[in-house]
Amino acid sequence: MKKWHKIIGVMTLLAFSLVGCGRGELAEGKQEPNEVEVEQTTAPKTPDNRMVIAMDTPVTLHPLYNTQETVEQALYLIFSPLINIEENGTISSNLAESWVVNESNTAITITLKKDIKWHDGMSLTTDDVLYTLNQIKSIPDSPYKDTVANLQEMVKLDDTTFKLVYKGSYSGVLQTLFFPVIPEHIYNVSGEDTLNITPIGSGPYMYESTTPAKSIMLKANPGYFKGKPQIEEVQINFIPDQQSMLYAFKQGLIDVIYTKETEWGKYINDEASTAYEMISPVYEFMGVNHNKVLFQNAAIREALLYGINRQEMVHLFYLDHAVVTDTPISPISYLYDRTLEIKSYDKEKAKLLLTQEGYEKDGNTGFLSKNGAPLSFTLLVNEENRDRMKVAKQIQTIYKEIGIDLKVEAVNETTYLERIQTKQFDAFLGGYQLGYATDLSFALHSSSILNGENYTSYKDPQMDELLQQAFLATPEAAIDAYQKLQQYFVKQTPYISLYFKKSVLITHNEIQGDIKPTPLNIFSNVEKWTRK
């Protein structure tokens, strides 16, 4: 499984060390479309039965070293993951036909599908999977590093069966099996030469050629284990950023784009394009510093939640491309507690909760105060993120109506990260790109405060126990464990939850068929796509 969480600060995702088991990543501000990089302004006629997509100019095409998100998606056309992860977080077969977890949840016996071939005609075997896992272990910055974090032993049983033994139980262990498998006989070379190998995988498309600084051409794999793709060729153009990709799509220069950008709608034509929206694992929130006395009171945190009109903000600033949530578990996840009712905006309830905690309106300032101290704090936000800037100003306005004196402090990305990591803030707007191997200890467990990523310094022995129970649960018991965790989270409101953002795959209508993308692999059933 690639990095399980990343904290999101700005709009385009980049690596950041607010990451861990189930983690997230900070993002960049939006830019205007880079039309200089997109040379053509009118679409050339695409050859029959070819699909044109885009990615960043790749640093490497080695899937275990690559850290570029758009390149990663394209590489799934060439390299097949061991298993698939569906949008709701459950797993399904891919290279692995079946698996059995032992009673103590510490070992998995996996059986591969038979007669899977690499693009060069060699057979894919257990040796290739175990070689891949050993390679992930040896690559310090591999995006799949957490796949092997808890792995103790690998045992070959035969050419298509093997056992993975873990150091301890983990409820998300099956989700860690999502990683691309590479052929040992191709990649078993020394030094940096491995980064420049012509990619050979077992996926639906085979590498054919590269036009330097411009594009890569793939051709359909006639021996693909799910059946030869119906689209014969895929051309992957190098385009430098998301805005330029959206511009290229609008101009008809590419056929398919995947994006998390809020304003993607203006780049499509409803009659000529089809959008496949998904709830992404990007969880947005307001984090509060629990070292501050003000935020150690759960009733005050709950009042802060009730005082935000989250649904209105989703509509105004995210154009309804987000879903309001009260917990860090996605509302489409199989782990989500569907008995929970989302807390709606209620200004009067927020006022009542604050009144019950002793706050009264100050006749001079108009703000609430207690023992002469005003209800006042500063909200840190990264200025590159335009959506967050709008949200921060909206929260400031709404809180003023309640009697909360909120000051917004906008800083650059570097300062924002430094302030969060050193806990020099009252509150901040942030987000986590959560993984499907769910473990929220990185953000909530007391052990993560001093030497981990619990930057809000939240500490609660009962929460620690619930996190431990959820982590150690068997796959069958995980749903109940995570329901209890969510119910306690809603009661305590350690984070002021906002929403889960949506992502979207957009295709021109020439691309048809049974198109079923998932956030982790938008090309998960590309063999069923067609071009009319």
Side-chain angles (χ1 to χ4, degrees), residues 446-465:
S446 60
S447 65
S448 298
I449 294 175
L450 293 179
N451 300 308
E453 295 146 6
N454 181 353
Y455 297 105
T456 67
S457 300
Y458 177 69
K459 185 177 183 179
D460 182 326
Q462 188 170 343
M463 179 65 79
D464 287 353
E465 178 62 25

Side-chain angles (χ1 to χ4, degrees), residues 461-482:
Q462 188 170 343
M463 179 65 79
D464 287 353
E465 178 62 25
L466 290 168
L467 288 165
Q468 182 75 351
Q469 290 174 6
F471 183 91
L472 296 175
T474 64
E476 294 76 17
I479 293 176
D480 181 64
Y482 275 98

Side-chain angles (χ1 to χ4, degrees), residues 25 114 175 204 280 291 308 332 343 381 411 420 441 451 458:
E25 112 189 334
K114 293 179 172 58
Q175 282 73 15
S280 78
N291 291 317
I308 302 176
I332 61 166
K343 294 179 178 179
V381 63
V411 298
I420 292 174
S441 299
N451 300 308
Y458 177 69

Side-chain angles (χ1 to χ4, degrees), residues 11 30 262 317-318 385-392:
M11 286 303 299
K30 294 181 180 178
T262 302
F317 307 133
Y318 290 89
N385 190 315
R386 298 179 187 180
D387 289 336
R388 289 231 187 99
M389 287 296 296
K390 295 174 186 176
V391 167

